[in-house]
Amino acid sequence: MSTKTTTIRPPDTRAVRRRVSLSDRIALRIGMTLIIWSRRTHRVRPSVDFETRQRLERERLDREARWLVQSAAMHLWH
């Protein structure tokens, strides 16, 4: 850890709070509304054929197996 990061004090919480402008509050409200709306809007997923689903499942299992072998090897090495 560098000395620069260890010597910086946390921000002063007793600072005077500045008022937020009306336009900023409106923009924040609109932005949050759009985020919530977009998360509630469900997109229709494309149908995936059986062979593609099986291939993706095999690839996922292969990745998991490689990850397990690698983590076991790192554990033994450590």
Side-chain angles (χ1 to χ4, degrees), residues 25-63:
R25 280 188 272 158
I26 291 172
L28 181 63
R29 178 71 58 99
I30 291 172
M32 290 301 295
T33 304
L34 287 173
I35 290 171
I36 292 169
W37 177 79
S38 68
R39 288 176 182 252
R40 288 184 182 177
T41 305
H42 299 292
R43 294 174 181 86
V44 177
R45 295 179 126 188
S47 61
V48 180
D49 60 314
F50 183 73
E51 290 83 15
T52 304
R53 191 174 306 213
Q54 291 295 326
R55 181 180 54 83
L56 292 172
E57 182 68 19
R58 279 194 308 272
E59 290 174 358
R60 185 183 65 80
L61 290 173
D62 184 46
R63 275 194 309 274

Side-chain angles (χ1 to χ4, degrees), residues 6-20:
T6 57
T7 57
I8 296 176
R9 294 188 324 221
D12 188 12
T13 56
R14 295 174 290 137
V16 177
R17 294 185 178 244
R18 287 184 241 122
R19 291 188 54 86
V20 180

